[in-house]
Amino acid sequence: MPRHGVTPGPGHPRSGREQRSNRSCGAPSLGLLWMALALALLDSLVLWTPAGAHPLPAQGYFASFSRAVPQLWNNFRWWNLTCPVCKSLFTVIDFGLQKETNVARVGSLAIKLCKLLKIAPPSVCQSAVQLFEDDMVEVWRRSVLSPSEACGLLLGSTCGNWDIFSSWNISLPDVPKPPPQPPNPPASGAPVSRVLFLTDLHWDRDYLEGTDPDCEDPLCCRRGSGLPPPSRPGAGYWGEYSKCDLPLRTLESLLSGLGPAGPFDMVYWTGDIPAHNVWHQSRQDQLQALTTVTALVKKYLGPVPVYPAVGNHESTPVNGFPPPFIQGNQSSRWLYEAMAKAWEPWLPAEALHTLRCT
Ligand SMILES: *[C@@H]1O[C@H](CO)[C@@H](O)[C@H](O)[C@H]1NC(C)=O
Ligand SMILES: *[C@@H]1O[C@H](CO)[C@@H](O)[C@H](O)[C@H]1NC(C)=O
Ligand SMILES: *[C@@H]1O[C@H](CO)[C@@H](O)[C@H](O)[C@H]1NC(C)=O
């Protein structure tokens, strides 16, 4: 769960507890990246909307569109649009954003902003924006930039419905709420279960002993981290108390050494299997982490039932879990299907069904 930012916080994670507190450092940096994307998007829109006299020449689709209807743009100032015009304008923007070249333009602006504002090292800016731009732009297109939302915000509720930040009502089933029951602890001597709790294994396939544990990237101790200066030791064989994840041998050693702590009746496994290299993860990388570590858990825990849950790092882009109305290649089907397959021996049919219901 913790630390999904692309820039390191001031404190490096040293333990599970600290990683958790580190969340407050990681989250804003990912937020900054999103802000860069949002700024880039807004900036691109300003470029495309001919409202002001913008010095930069418009290009591509929007250029031809604005050349075709220059009068329209002169006659309607941005802040005095009628509702139908506002909606047409945003329809055009949404349409334009379906084009890959325009998404790429938003992306290249975001990369420039990310580098300029030093949100992350240049190579991280580049990979992160490329990884996130499609989903970000799609979410903007479907929410704040949709004609009804945008014109509702700009022109008021007679024109559209701006409600992405407002509260909503949920209908509850027509069953009265049962009266609260005070907790009833089991009597002493009642049977007990022994539960193994696994979480946040974060396997780094590229972990490399001897590399720099304090490199400039958000994740270190890995191929590409470089060597530490002679005054500092490199990454350890088993891991490092720094901004590093773990090599597979450490996870294997942990699982193979569980014997004396058992036997366990069941295992709760609350996810976050892949590493924190969130700026550069493919679907294939995430699936490899899922299957590799699941196989390891099966190997060492054998017939003990394992109840796995989905962590925020399982997907890529990180935290990207499109709701069920997103269908096709942008849905989470690639992930949920693979999980259902990998976890089939542990989960009842009903759970597998809800997992697959993307
Ligand atoms: C806005 O449009 C209306 C109607 O076309 C016009 O009367 C008004 O002067 C315009 N306001 C501004 C600020 O341009
Ligand atoms: C939610 O329900 C309350 C009470 O019926 C109502 O006053 C309010 O306007 C509703 N809000 C929305 C967003 O529908
Ligand atoms: C589906 O999306 C992924 C990730 O964006 C991409 O790598 C892949 O090429 C896409 N596949 C198809 C068939 O479009």
Side-chain angles (χ1 to χ4, degrees), residues 345-358:
W346 294 326
L347 297 179
E350 193 193 353
L352 290 170
H353 177 73
T354 56
L355 188 52
R356 283 200 167 97
C357 274
T358 46

Side-chain angles (χ1 to χ4, degrees), residues 62-86:
F62 282 92
S64 42
F65 189 87
S66 53
R67 266 197 303 273
V69 281
Q71 271 318 104
L72 186 71
W73 303 127
N74 288 337
N75 291 346
F76 290 99
R77 303 296 301 263
W78 166 251
W79 54 86
N80 196 21
L81 300 174
T82 62
C83 184
V85 172
C86 178

Side-chain angles (χ1 to χ4, degrees), residues 42-345:
L42 287 175
D43 197 49
S44 320
L45 292 179
V46 171
L47 279 183
W48 298 338
T49 49
H54 209 287
L56 293 180
Q59 289 161 1
Y61 176 79
F62 282 92
S64 42
F65 189 87
S66 53
R67 266 197 303 273
V69 281
Q71 271 318 104
L72 186 71
W73 303 127
N74 288 337
N75 291 346
F76 290 99
R77 303 296 301 263
W78 166 251
W79 54 86
N80 196 21
L81 300 174
T82 62
C83 184
V85 172
C86 178
K87 287 193 171 167
S88 326
L89 179 62
F90 278 91
T91 306
V92 169
I93 289 170
D94 288 348
F95 182 77
L97 279 173
Q98 277 176 337
K99 278 190 58 164
E100 242 169 66
T101 47
N102 289 332
V103 174
R105 198 173 303 160
V106 173
S108 66
L109 262 168
I111 292 169
K112 281 186 201 134
L113 277 172
C114 174
K115 290 177 182 169
L116 193 74
L117 303 174
K118 296 196 165 35
I119 293 173
S123 64
V124 174
C125 284
Q126 177 93 21
S127 315
V129 168
Q130 278 166 1
L131 182 58
F132 282 84
E133 64 186 4
D134 284 337
D135 285 20
M136 269 293 291
V137 167
E138 181 66 12
V139 167
W140 272 73
R141 220 171 57 75
R142 283 175 175 264
S143 52
V144 273
L145 294 179
S146 80
S148 171
E149 295 283 354
C151 299
L153 174 70
L154 291 172
L155 301 178
S157 57
T158 50
C159 185
N161 189 24
W162 168 258
D163 71 356
I164 64 165
F165 294 121
S166 62
S167 53
W168 62 88
N169 288 332
I170 295 172
S171 309
L172 298 176
D174 195 17
V175 179
K177 192 175 154 188
Q181 300 286 343
N184 189 9
S188 64
V192 295
S193 293
R194 202 166 176 78
V195 178
L196 171 68
F197 193 108
L198 289 174
T199 194
D200 293 76
L201 296 179
H202 290 298
W203 165 43
D204 188 358
R205 192 183 56 189
D206 288 333
Y207 188 95
L208 191 60
E209 184 187 2
T211 52
D212 188 356
D214 198 19
C215 67
E216 65 163 9
D217 285 347
L219 182 66
C220 300
C221 301
R222 59 201 317 261
R223 234 174 288 280
S225 298
L227 293 174
S231 57
R232 281 196 285 110
Y237 177 76
W238 294 107
E240 194 59 50
Y241 287 133
S242 187
K243 45 178 181 175
C244 302
D245 287 323
L246 291 174
L248 199 61
R249 55 178 168 268
T250 307
L251 303 182
E252 181 145 18
S253 169
L254 164 85
L255 292 167
S256 69
L258 284 173
F264 300 103
D265 297 290
M266 67 192 88
V267 181
Y268 296 165
W269 183 17
T270 49
D272 273 10
I273 307 170
H276 283 96
N277 57 329
V278 297
W279 68 96
H280 196 241
Q281 289 174 327
S282 66
R283 289 181 178 181
Q284 212 179 344
D285 295 336
Q286 306 308 81
L287 296 180
Q288 188 197 25
L290 170 74
T291 52
T292 305
V293 180
T294 298
L296 209 58
V297 170
K298 275 192 191 129
K299 176 176 167 190
Y300 288 102
L301 289 158
V304 181
V306 177
Y307 299 110
V310 183
N312 69 312
H313 275 273
E314 258 66 74
S315 191
T316 183
V318 67
N319 304 334
F321 297 92
F325 60 79
I326 303 289
Q327 293 286 317
N329 193 36
Q330 254 180 337
S331 76
S332 290
R333 181 168 290 276
W334 64 275
L335 180 62
Y336 295 149
E337 275 295 332
M339 286 173 169
K341 198 161 157 240
W343 298 339
E344 198 159 15

